[in-house]
Amino acid sequence: MSFVSKIFGDANIKFVNSLKPVVDKINLLEKEYEQLSGAQLREKTAEFKLRINPPAGGGESLDNVLPEAFAAVREASKRTLGQRHFDVQLIGGIVLHQGGISEMKTGEGKTLVATLPSYLNALSGKGVHIVTVNDYLSRRDATWMGQIHDALGLSVGCINHEASYLYDSSLKSKVESDKEEIFKGEPPALDVSLSTLDKERDIKGGFKVVHEFLKPVSRKEAYAADITYGTNNEYGFDYLRDNMAFTAGDMVQRPYLDSPGRKGGGHNYAIVDEVDSILIDEARTPLIISAPDTDSTKLYQTFSKVVPNLKENDDYNVDEKLKAVSITEKGIEKVEKMLGLSDIYNEGGIRYVHHLEQALKAEILFRIDKDYVVKDGEVIIVDEFTGRLMPGRRWSEGLHQAVEAKEGVNVQKESRTLATITFQNYFRLYSKLAGMTGTAQTSAEEFHKVYNIDVYTIPTNKPMIRKDSPDRIYKTEAGKYRALVREIKERNETGQPVLVGTVSIEKNEILSSMLEREGIPHKVLNAKNHEKEAEIIAQAGKPGAVTVATNMAGRGVDIILGGNPPDHELQNKSIENGGLHVIGTERHEARRIDDQLRGRSGRQGDPGSSQFFVSTEDELVRIFGGDRLKNIMERLGVGEDDVIENRFISSAIQQAQTKIEGHNFDIRKYVLEYDDVMNKHREAIYRLRKEILFSESSKDIVDDYLKSQISNLVEFHFSQPDTNVEELSESIKAISGPDDNLHGKLIELSKTGAEGIKNYLNEYFDEKYNAKEKEITPEEMRKLERFVLLRTIDELWMDHIETMEYLRDSVRLRAYGQRDPLVEYKIEGQKLFQQLTETIKVQVANLIFKVGLVQRPTVTLKTEEKRPDIFGEEKGATQIEPSFAKATAGRSERNSSQPITRDEHKVGRNDPCPCGSGKKYKKCHGA
């Protein structure tokens, strides 16, 4: 305890104690709620809703209803799942409702805790999103916890990558018959939990997990539910897709228009499970929807053959702390010689330099079976935090293609960004954000600064009795691995279950082969054999079980002593043998990942132990002074197999982890500072799109744009020393089409000045517009207006995204001139955005009289991506065709009537310049 805490007391303990009176109120209601029938308990929901949102307005606050709502949830849980919320779970639920982070140890029932605030906040009628780390957990939790919400009369939806669902209790009989079939003559009682049933499907049946409680529905129906479960990726991508929709009906998340005092009904309240993983580890991964663009596979292959001939410290330098590689002048000369170039910068341009840099990164910084694996002819990224494969996810800026060329697999095309958002800015859309995890305190500062949410440590229901031993430190990696095998063998012989955590697939397989040579039976869990994950985890708590796993087993995995389903005899044996012993084979960059691994042991008061084995050759130790430490050990005569348990060395390792965490925080902060600039632009463009989609008539918007363009043109020409009415006439006809009488009329009106001509032209365009509307019917004209507005916005917005990316790269160089790159980015970005809004008006005005409606077949759609780290991407399912010139892009697969341009529109020499200057194209950008 710190000196300040000793004097003033621990702030966390004080806060938790302040919530106990609320818990007492909930407990006092328990007897009363036990007396209610199922129908009466269900009626409580309607009563709460009426108190919160009475017809006359001025309802009660959610805080006022909280004790009764939590009591109702606890009672529903007892009746449906046979699980009663502990007092500490009620405290965790209150923290979540207040928009905080509940840090709860493994096995404390975080999933059950989330039912309390999700039910309470859903009573407002605005919808609640519960965010999980993968599709399986969203299905499991929607099914498992859906029983509670269904008993209380709330609807539960589930969003997965491939499908979406609603919880349907009428399907219960099907589940019961499945239990009979799966367990045959050896089942536990039929009240087995659905999560156990799901694991048993994998173990005994070997077939795909399907929850019959979940009925397939449209995505919109799943979002319309009171409570919706889904992954961060799906919520984010649906948000981007909704902001690319061509009709309000195509939007799937709850539609909304911004209004004073709130951020919007579509993003009311979110509870994020494993909040540190999603809001921090994933926060360097902007979501991107993109489409294939250029094909430069030959260059990737060329440079993949060049870089292996370069030598470190001679042709290039590596900074392992920053994970960066830079080529030297000597290296450049060598590359030029191999490519037959005299000057790569002049002859190859920035394109060649870009390919060279990416090929170097791929060759030097990215390693097979650590950062990625090659499977079925594809390069698949391995998540550094979870150890899981991420099929479809791709690094961007050509890095993934460079790795593909390095490994000799098919190099895929590059892509063009259509829409993008960072997780930080997506989750800050919510009016209220909360989260839960077992490890958040080490990142409390980042949660507060970025998301304005605080972390509170919730006490465990039973005392934690796990023994965490000091690190064992060895001089060499070989000595460490020999010691690991000896330790595992000793524990195995005593019958104690052992979980060994490795940082990569490569290390995972090395240790496994050593155990095989020693004849130690064990199971291996990594991204290569993830299909058997449920079976391996189910057996990992049995006496004498040895499980060697990557980070896959470090988060969200519940290892039950004695195995799952529980066997009391085996459970007692595992407990007698000391419970689960966790061994870490080296320290991870983030302390949270180490803590997650330790957290697999000692759940719900179970016995257990943990220890990390470290060597001076481990990556983390080596980068932060491992050689110096190794020299000291050699001077002291420490042998390869000798072990040191030194708290100063362990402390130095923790300091190194803290430095890396701080460095990664700085990277995320840097990305966010730049994205905040882009986010203001994004919000403005998306607000404009929603206005178009939800407005009664898009005619007013087009009319404003036409009047704005007329005003700009007239003012520009009348501001010149010699007003040229002929050129003004040509500019107007470029918008409205041919008119032999217009020139003469403008000459006649020129004597009245600019205002007289403006008034005439406004009436002139009104007549033209009404004539066009009469020609194609008002209904079709509204469709046409929306199409022109939305396609213009989308195409120019895509260009703006690219321009801002280029700007971000270029402003970095301004630091050499003693100017702040971020300030420069903000100033230049604001100018570019003003140009964007003006260009939208100009282009809409120039196109509205030139397009018509035709019937066309369903459009083939493109791809969706997600970027891991600052530069990654993930392919998915959404597809949008980006070309505006032919205007063939569609609103969705459901729509077949789509406007297209009659002819490919090109800017004529006498047309107004699209930049919005008011000048003719030939005298402006066409000069």
Side-chain angles (χ1 to χ4, degrees):
M1 185 180 286
S2 70
F3 176 72
V4 175
S5 296
K6 284 178 181 176
I7 296 175
F8 297 104
D10 187 290
N12 187 86
I13 293 173
K14 282 186 174 180
F15 176 77
V16 169
N17 288 336
S18 73
L19 300 180
K20 286 182 178 176
V22 184
V23 173
D24 292 339
K25 283 184 184 178
I26 300 166
N27 289 335
L28 285 171
L29 292 166
E30 188 166 13
K31 292 293 182 188
E32 177 189 332
Y33 277 66
E34 283 176 345
Q35 305 304 314
L36 299 176
S37 67
Q40 288 173 325
L41 188 62
R42 195 181 181 92
E43 285 167 9
K44 281 287 178 183
T45 299
E47 177 196 319
F48 296 150
K49 285 182 175 179
L50 194 61
R51 283 166 57 187
I52 293 164
N53 292 310
E60 293 182 49
S61 68
L62 292 179
D63 289 341
N64 198 51
V65 178
L66 185 148
E68 294 162 89
F70 276 31
V73 174
R74 176 191 264 177
E75 185 58 32
S77 177
K78 284 156 58 179
R79 296 184 189 188
T80 55
L81 303 182
Q83 297 179 1
R84 177 185 178 276
H85 293 78
F86 302 126
D87 285 1
V88 290
Q89 289 176 312
L90 298 178
I91 291 171
I94 297 168
V95 169
L96 293 177
H97 164 66
Q98 293 179 352
I101 291 174
S102 293
E103 185 184 71
M104 304 179 73
K105 299 296 181 189
T106 304
E108 291 296 304
K110 291 189 288 289
T111 307
L112 191 63
V113 169
T115 58
L116 298 160
S118 59
Y119 171 75
L120 174 63
N121 283 268
L123 295 172
S124 67
K126 295 176 185 176
V128 173
H129 291 173
I130 298 181
V131 188
T132 63
V133 292
N134 59 49
D135 280 350
Y136 164 75
L137 288 176
S138 65
R139 290 196 308 274
R140 186 202 72 177
D141 294 353
T143 305
W144 193 9
M145 300 299 119
Q147 297 171 85
I148 297 173
H149 295 302
D150 181 70
L152 292 167
L154 292 186
S155 57
V156 175
C158 176
I159 302 291
N160 274 190
H161 182 63
E162 301 296 338
S164 45
Y165 310 92
L166 273 179
Y167 178 89
D168 188 346
S169 58
S170 67
L171 299 169
K172 186 173 182 179
S173 58
K174 179 76 169 64
V175 176
E176 298 294 350
S177 66
D178 274 1
K179 289 178 187 175
E180 296 270 16
E181 184 181 340
I182 291 168
F183 290 100
K184 305 270 180 189
E186 34 156 329
L190 283 181
D191 62 352
V192 60
S193 76
L194 287 167
S195 57
T196 303
L197 169 65
D198 200 59
K199 288 174 182 173
E200 287 302 309
R201 287 181 174 286
D202 281 343
I203 297 164
K204 293 181 179 277
F207 49 86
K208 189 179 178 183
V209 175
V210 177
H211 290 292
E212 285 83 359
F213 271 87
L214 298 180
K215 176 179 69 176
V217 294
S218 70
R219 228 167 171 79
K220 179 174 278 190
E221 288 175 286
Y223 273 113
D226 296 306
I227 298 163
T228 304
Y229 288 81
T231 64
N232 48 326
N233 294 350
E234 295 309 309
Y235 288 128
F237 279 132
D238 283 338
Y239 170 73
L240 292 177
R241 282 191 288 259
D242 277 358
N243 285 288
M244 297 169 72
F246 267 75
T247 69
D250 290 335
M251 298 178 76
V252 295
Q253 292 186 338
R254 294 187 181 211
Y256 64 94
L257 287 172
D258 289 341
S259 58
R262 61 188 276 248
K263 296 180 182 178
H267 297 89
N268 170 49
Y269 176 49
I271 301 171
V272 184
D273 193 8
E274 303 295 357
V275 67
D276 54 327
S277 175
I278 291 172
L279 295 191
I280 291 183
D281 296 340
E282 292 269 343
R284 287 181 290 171
T285 65
L287 292 165
I288 293 177
I289 294 180
S290 66
D293 190 16
T294 58
D295 187 2
S296 42
T297 55
K298 288 181 182 176
L299 279 177
Y300 286 112
Q301 290 159 348
T302 299
F303 281 97
S304 73
K305 292 170 185 172
V306 167
V307 294
N309 298 301
L310 304 178
K311 294 179 181 177
E312 188 178 353
N313 299 326
D314 198 9
D315 302 319
Y316 63 86
N317 296 313
V318 179
D319 188 327
E320 290 188 284
K321 290 182 184 179
L322 295 177
K323 291 186 178 177
V325 58
S326 56
I327 193 156
T328 63
E329 281 297 320
K330 190 174 179 182
I332 289 287
E333 288 172 11
K334 188 180 280 190
V335 170
E336 288 171 342
K337 191 173 181 182
M338 284 187 276
L339 294 176
L341 302 173
S342 58
D343 186 339
I344 192 171
Y345 294 98
N346 287 328
E347 295 176 50
I350 195 150
R351 192 176 180 210
Y352 273 43
V353 176
H354 172 73
H355 279 282
L356 174 59
E357 287 173 350
Q358 298 300 62
L360 256 179
K361 281 183 188 176
E363 182 69 28
I364 311 303
L365 300 178
F366 290 79
R367 299 204 297 272
I368 192 167
D369 285 348
K370 182 177 185 292
D371 302 296
Y372 64 90
V373 298
V374 176
K375 188 176 180 182
D376 300 328
E378 284 187 58
V379 170
I380 302 175
I381 298 171
V382 175
D383 190 318
E384 66 170 307
F385 299 105
T386 66
R388 297 178 186 275
L389 289 184
M390 299 188 286
R393 185 176 288 192
R394 293 177 65 79
W395 292 299
S396 70
E397 297 178 8
L399 179 59
H400 206 96
Q401 286 85 347
V403 175
E404 287 169 334
K406 167 190 170 184
E407 295 297 338
V409 301
N410 183 46
V411 179
Q412 297 184 27
K413 290 183 178 181
E414 291 186 59
S415 53
R416 185 185 184 199
T417 300
L418 309 184
T420 177
I421 191 170
T422 58
F423 275 125
Q424 288 104 321
N425 276 320
Y426 173 72
F427 280 107
R428 292 197 299 192
L429 288 170
Y430 286 91
S431 300
K432 184 162 68 174
L433 182 64
M436 48 192 185
T437 181
T439 48
Q441 280 294 352
T442 54
S443 300
E445 180 189 1
E446 185 166 353
F447 282 123
H448 182 75
K449 285 184 177 178
V450 176
Y451 302 100
N452 196 29
I453 48 180
D454 295 317
V455 178
Y456 299 98
T457 302
I458 310 301
T460 54
N461 184 49
K462 295 179 181 177
M464 170 73 73
I465 59 173
R466 184 185 70 229
K467 182 184 176 185
D468 297 328
S469 301
D471 294 356
R472 288 190 181 180
I473 301 151
Y474 294 83
K475 189 168 73 172
T476 65
E477 192 170 48
K480 179 184 76 172
Y481 273 100
R482 285 194 294 271
L484 273 167
V485 173
R486 287 196 301 271
E487 176 76 6
I488 294 165
K489 191 172 185 177
E490 286 172 17
R491 301 269 180 180
N492 176 247
E493 286 171 351
T494 66
Q496 184 174 17
V498 177
L499 172 67
V500 187
T502 64
V503 297
S504 68
I505 298 169
E506 179 188 16
K507 301 285 176 68
N508 183 272
E509 292 175 341
I510 289 171
L511 183 57
S512 174
S513 63
M514 292 177 74
L515 292 173
E516 278 180 14
R517 285 198 297 272
E518 289 293 321
I520 302 170
H522 64 282
K523 296 287 184 183
V524 176
L525 176 59
N526 59 40
K528 288 184 176 179
N529 69 337
H530 62 91
E531 296 88 356
K532 296 182 179 178
E533 180 180 357
E535 181 179 355
I536 292 169
I537 293 301
Q539 311 303 322
K542 286 187 173 180
V546 176
T547 309
V548 182
T550 56
N551 292 338
M552 285 177 69
R555 184 184 288 277
V557 171
D558 204 1
I559 296 175
I560 298 171
L561 293 181
N564 190 17
D567 181 305
H568 294 299
E569 187 178 333
L570 293 177
Q571 196 171 45
N572 290 334
K573 198 171 179 182
S574 290
I575 290 171
E576 287 168 11
N577 294 334
L580 182 68
H581 181 63
V582 171
I583 298 175
T585 60
E586 61 186 275
R587 288 286 189 171
H588 195 276
E589 281 187 357
R591 287 169 293 171
R592 290 180 293 103
I593 310 301
D594 293 340
D595 292 342
Q596 285 285 353
L597 180 61
R598 286 192 196 275
R600 299 314 98 198
S601 175
R603 60 182 296 280
Q604 280 292 329
D606 285 342
S609 52
S610 71
Q611 188 160 47
F612 278 82
F613 284 59
V614 178
S615 84
T616 61
E617 294 175 348
D618 291 350
E619 190 169 339
L620 177 72
V621 182
R622 180 175 52 78
I623 292 171
F624 287 89
D627 289 340
R628 190 170 65 252
L629 178 59
K630 190 175 183 180
N631 292 335
I632 293 170
M633 292 174 83
E634 283 177 353
R635 284 201 301 271
L636 293 173
V638 177
E640 276 201 353
D641 293 323
D642 293 338
V643 61
I644 293 176
E645 288 188 6
N646 186 300
R647 63 188 180 90
F648 293 109
I649 296 174
S650 295
S651 176
I653 292 169
Q654 287 191 344
Q655 285 173 8
Q657 289 176 307
T658 306
K659 282 180 185 176
I660 294 174
E661 287 167 3
H663 173 65
N664 289 337
F665 177 26
D666 290 341
I667 290 174
R668 289 188 291 269
K669 187 181 174 187
Y670 172 83
V671 172
L672 183 60
E673 283 173 340
Y674 280 84
D675 192 61
D676 279 344
V677 178
M678 192 64 182
N679 198 50
K680 288 184 173 63
H681 302 177
R682 183 189 299 112
E683 287 175 351
I685 290 296
Y686 285 179
R687 191 159 50 243
L688 176 59
R689 282 188 110 267
K690 288 188 181 75
E691 187 183 342
I692 293 163
L693 286 173
F694 290 97
S695 65
E696 291 294 320
S697 173
S698 47
K699 183 177 181 179
D700 295 338
I701 298 171
V702 176
D703 188 52
D704 285 344
Y705 288 2
L706 279 169
K707 284 183 169 59
S708 173
Q709 181 65 350
I710 291 165
S711 178
N712 287 341
L713 286 169
V714 173
E715 285 178 10
F716 170 75
H717 284 289
F718 272 81
S719 67
Q720 302 301 307
D722 299 314
T723 302
N724 191 329
V725 177
E726 184 179 354
E727 289 214 348
L728 174 61
S729 173
E730 287 177 6
S731 297
I732 297 299
K733 283 189 280 188
I735 299 172
S736 65
D739 188 334
D740 295 336
N741 300 321
L742 182 63
H743 183 216
K745 186 67 178 175
L746 291 181
I747 289 175
E748 182 185 325
L749 287 167
S750 61
K751 298 168 188 175
T752 65
E755 285 304 313
I757 287 186
K758 276 188 200 177
N759 293 335
Y760 169 75
L761 288 175
N762 286 336
E763 291 177 10
Y764 175 80
F765 274 103
D766 282 344
E767 289 175 12
K768 282 269 184 185
Y769 207 86
N770 292 334
K772 185 176 179 73
E773 185 174 300
K774 190 178 289 185
E775 180 188 340
I776 65 170
T777 76
E779 185 183 353
E780 294 298 291
M781 192 64 185
R782 299 295 83 78
K783 287 182 183 178
L784 185 67
E785 289 160 357
R786 284 195 175 93
F787 174 78
V788 171
L789 284 163
L790 295 174
R791 285 304 293 139
T792 301
I793 291 167
D794 290 350
E795 182 66 19
L796 293 173
W797 174 242
M798 284 187 275
D799 291 340
H800 185 70
I801 291 172
E802 287 183 3
T803 305
M804 291 296 286
E805 284 179 0
Y806 295 141
L807 175 64
R808 189 173 67 181
D809 290 338
S810 68
V811 293
R812 290 173 188 161
L813 299 173
R814 302 188 191 184
Y816 294 109
Q818 304 301 308
R819 288 187 288 178
D820 186 335
L822 181 60
V823 172
E824 295 290 308
Y825 182 74
K826 287 178 179 177
I827 294 168
E828 296 290 332
Q830 184 58 29
K831 290 177 185 175
L832 287 169
F833 186 69
Q834 287 171 350
Q835 287 178 18
L836 169 67
T837 54
E838 283 305 309
T839 307
I840 288 170
K841 294 177 183 179
V842 172
Q843 192 150 307
V844 168
N846 283 337
L847 284 170
I848 195 65
F849 290 104
K850 297 183 176 73
V851 295
L853 287 166
V854 297
Q855 295 288 324
R856 61 171 286 105
T858 303
V859 177
T860 302
L861 304 175
K862 303 289 183 197
T863 65
E864 167 188 276
E865 299 186 356
K866 179 185 176 203
R867 287 187 179 174
D869 221 341
I870 299 172
F871 39 68
E873 320 171 349
E874 176 179 1
K875 286 186 178 175
T878 295
Q879 309 144 326
I880 301 290
E881 182 168 332
S883 173
F884 178 72
K886 295 189 187 221
T888 55
R891 289 163 273 190
S892 82
E893 292 181 63
R894 297 190 293 272
N895 297 293
S896 57
S897 175
Q898 299 168 12
I900 66 167
T901 53
R902 290 181 181 140
D903 298 297
E904 181 169 334
H905 177 67
K906 294 181 180 177
V907 182
R909 280 174 51 73
N910 290 314
D911 287 354
C913 186
C915 76
S917 66
K919 299 179 184 179
K920 285 190 179 183
Y921 181 66
K922 66 184 180 184
K923 292 187 177 180
C924 191
H925 281 79

